[in-house]
Amino acid sequence: MDMRQMIESITREILQSMKSETQQEKREKWLYIFCDSRAHESFEDQFIALQNNGICHDILFLDGETSSWLGMHRIECGGAGKLITADEYAPIPLEVPKEYAGVILPEMDLDNAARVAAGMKGTIKAEIIFSALVLGKPVLVGEDVPGLKRADRRTLKTLTLPKPYQQLFLRHVNEMKELGVEFYPQKQLADAVIRKSMANRRSERTEAAAGSEGQVAPSAKLLTADWVKAQEEFPDGGLVLRPGTIVSPLAQDMLREKGIAVHYEK
């Protein structure tokens, strides 16, 4: 391969990668928050389902209560005067939901549930949930969880909370629901995301149709003055006609007097 062919090949690859990145940015993206770097392994099938439906996702791994990893960035939270971000490019927890369509937390524990229900911050989960709810973005949480952190289960060698703590956890869950947090079985979280994404796409298509350049005239081949008279008002975008529609001379004069622009559908 000579130099010219090599440069052409490299340029083509760069342009293709830029195109792929642009297409990727247009796709809806959700954020998964896992307790540690191994907690996501049982969700691979859900990730495949999201990918097959054109939905992207990022994964944030918790590295303790007040720190986490999003890609190569270490995110930390803390009070006044404390460390906020571990590097200059990492967002603070409150900024994280701004880049996503919604947030998914397969596991919720007693501590964070209490913080969220009380409107408190101080942990990665609590701050991200608070930010997402304030921004009006959906927060999906796994409902079939014991309320006990993975680390606590490993340390205490137990899988469930005592009954009084279970009742307390359920009260916090109900309070979280009142705040707008949605709970689904862990295996159905991806299905819930897909349903919401499909609903958003239908809504966007409907809004786009409603906000098109103007009012679409009926499918009649001839647009008459009587039809123009019958319209009480026209949208700012004017009148959109289907290809092949004929406008009568009198209707043209009336539209011109009203200042209504006429366009044809592509």
Side-chain angles (χ1 to χ4, degrees), residues 197-208:
S197 297
M198 295 302 179
N200 290 340
R201 292 172 188 175
R202 288 194 295 269
S203 177
E204 290 174 358
R205 287 196 293 266
T206 302
E207 291 177 0

Side-chain angles (χ1 to χ4, degrees), residues 225 248-255:
S248 70
L250 186 55
Q252 289 181 356
D253 293 339
M254 295 181 65
L255 291 170

Side-chain angles (χ1 to χ4, degrees), residues 159-178:
L159 300 177
T160 58
L161 289 167
K163 190 170 183 180
Y165 277 124
Q166 290 180 15
Q167 295 173 347
L168 179 61
F169 179 64
L170 290 176
R171 287 201 296 271
H172 292 326
V173 167
N174 291 330
E175 292 169 347
M176 291 174 65
K177 290 179 179 178
E178 293 177 359

Side-chain angles (χ1 to χ4, degrees), residues 3-17:
M3 183 63 68
R4 180 179 298 178
Q5 289 177 330
M6 184 174 66
I7 294 175
E8 181 181 352
S9 177
I10 294 174
T11 304
R12 186 179 294 109
E13 289 181 6
I14 293 174
L15 293 174
Q16 184 65 32
S17 65

Side-chain angles (χ1 to χ4, degrees), residues 115-219:
R115 289 176 180 273
V116 173
M120 296 175 59
K121 299 183 231 176
T123 65
I124 294 290
K125 283 184 178 180
E127 293 198 15
I128 289 180
I129 292 175
F130 173 82
S131 175
L133 293 177
V134 170
L135 294 173
K137 297 189 175 183
V139 177
L140 281 55
V141 177
E143 66 180 9
D144 45 351
V145 293
L148 196 61
K149 295 184 180 73
R150 286 167 58 92
D152 292 344
R153 296 200 297 267
R154 287 193 295 265
T155 302
L156 301 175
K157 304 302 179 184
T158 183
L159 300 177
T160 58
L161 289 167
K163 190 170 183 180
Y165 277 124
Q166 290 180 15
Q167 295 173 347
L168 179 61
F169 179 64
L170 290 176
R171 287 201 296 271
H172 292 326
V173 167
N174 291 330
E175 292 169 347
M176 291 174 65
K177 290 179 179 178
E178 293 177 359
L179 294 174
V181 179
E182 303 176 43
F183 285 79
Y184 299 92
Q186 284 187 337
K187 293 184 178 180
Q188 298 179 17
L189 287 171
D191 294 334
V193 171
I194 293 170
R195 288 196 301 270
K196 288 182 176 295
S197 297
M198 295 302 179
N200 290 340
R201 292 172 188 175
R202 288 194 295 269
S203 177
E204 290 174 358
R205 287 196 293 266
T206 302
E207 291 177 0
S212 58
E213 290 186 347
Q215 179 176 343
V216 180
S219 57

